[in-house]
Amino acid sequence: MTIVLYEKLPEGQLLRLGERAWDDQLIQALNVANFILVGGKEYEMIEGRLNLDLHVFELLLVKAGSEGGGSKE
């Protein structure tokens, strides 16, 4: 399955971080993981959406330690 990663920025916009192919084991790990590392940065997973129109699973992320979506940097 293809996973598309989006970061929610402080202003509310979405930044597409990338697209990756995940196998069944990684998909199952979503049930127990709250945080993921992407490009050396830690993100909290806040929501997922199955997009049947595009045949992808979309994950909405915020940088770890940020409040209200996105980092304060």
Side-chain angles (χ1 to χ4, degrees):
M1 174 172 273
T2 300
I3 304 293
V4 180
L5 305 169
Y6 291 98
E7 178 185 353
K8 183 177 179 185
L9 300 174
E11 302 80 25
Q13 298 101 330
L14 298 181
L15 173 64
R16 185 180 169 127
L17 296 176
E19 182 176 306
R20 298 163 187 244
W22 282 16
D23 62 18
D24 289 342
Q25 285 183 317
L26 284 170
I27 300 290
Q28 290 175 2
L30 288 174
N31 290 325
V32 295
N34 295 317
F35 295 87
I36 61 173
L37 292 172
V38 178
K41 297 178 183 174
E42 186 175 34
Y43 294 92
E44 182 177 2
M45 295 184 289
I46 58 172
E47 132 180 342
R49 176 173 75 171
L50 184 59
N51 187 326
L52 296 178
D53 292 333
L54 299 177
H55 305 285
V56 298
F57 188 72
E58 301 167 333
L59 288 179
L60 184 59
L61 313 169
V62 293
K63 284 188 181 174
S66 63
E67 304 213 4
S71 69
K72 304 288 184 201
E73 297 174 17

